[in-house]
Amino acid sequence: MATMPPGHLRKPLAAGRIMTMRAAAGLLLALSAFCLALGITLPLLEMERLFVLTDRPSLIDVVGGLWTSGDPLLALIVGLASIVFPVAKILALQIMLALSATPPEGHPAWARPLDRAVGFFSKWSMLDVMLVALAIFAARTSGLATAISQPGLWFFAGSALASAIAAYLVTRAARS
């Protein structure tokens, strides 16, 4: 087994493999954006209370309901973490993907912090899915209501997963 020279952490990727990673990342980002749009607008869960009252809120309904019920700070936090951060992450990854095709010397100065921004947004990308899953679990175990996951939750989770894989591919291609 050959040893790597000092300063080299990994073997450089072949040009064909980098192109494949970029193409896969582009497809994953398109899929992520599509799933995010559906995840925000479709119902996240179905809650049935007292056998007659049924709610099927979407993420937009949740944020709007929090705002109108007198919890604007919570609505702002949920809106930022659930809608703004995922959209910003996808946009930042699209820019990074476009820039990865050019040499780093030609990148604008504002492009450098994108990697850190994507890392920041990635930390929050699955938080919403976990919170809705906890709400479903709490409703099921309380005995007062039943909760069933709906397509919006699955699309939202799919968006988070697709953007996480795309983030890995984009950063790997950009560093090669």
Side-chain angles (χ1 to χ4, degrees), residues 14 33-34 41 48 67 77 110 122-123 136 148 176:
F34 177 75
T41 57
E48 186 178 292
W67 187 270
I77 291 169
W110 53 263
S122 295
K123 291 177 185 174
I136 291 172
I148 302 166
S176 295

Side-chain angles (χ1 to χ4, degrees), residues 68-82:
T68 58
S69 70
D71 287 320
L73 182 61
L74 188 55
L76 185 64
I77 291 169
V78 171
L80 281 173
S82 304

Side-chain angles (χ1 to χ4, degrees), residues 138-157:
R140 285 184 180 171
T141 58
S142 72
L144 299 175
T146 59
I148 302 166
S149 61
Q150 293 293 300
L153 178 63
W154 296 106
F155 279 112
F156 195 83

Side-chain angles (χ1 to χ4, degrees), residues 30-103:
L31 176 67
S32 179
F34 177 75
C35 287
L36 181 62
L38 291 176
I40 290 171
T41 57
L42 291 176
L44 293 173
L45 67 139
E46 179 178 303
M47 301 237 351
E48 186 178 292
R49 296 167 296 174
L50 305 173
F51 303 107
V52 291
L53 302 173
T54 302
D55 293 323
R56 296 181 72 201
S58 68
L59 193 53
I60 298 232
D61 294 335
V62 169
V63 173
L66 287 169
W67 187 270
T68 58
S69 70
D71 287 320
L73 182 61
L74 188 55
L76 185 64
I77 291 169
V78 171
L80 281 173
S82 304
I83 299 169
V84 176
F85 286 175
V87 169
K89 178 183 177 183
I90 292 170
L91 290 174
L93 284 170
Q94 286 285 3
I95 294 168
M96 284 179 62
L97 181 62
L99 291 174
S100 71
T102 62

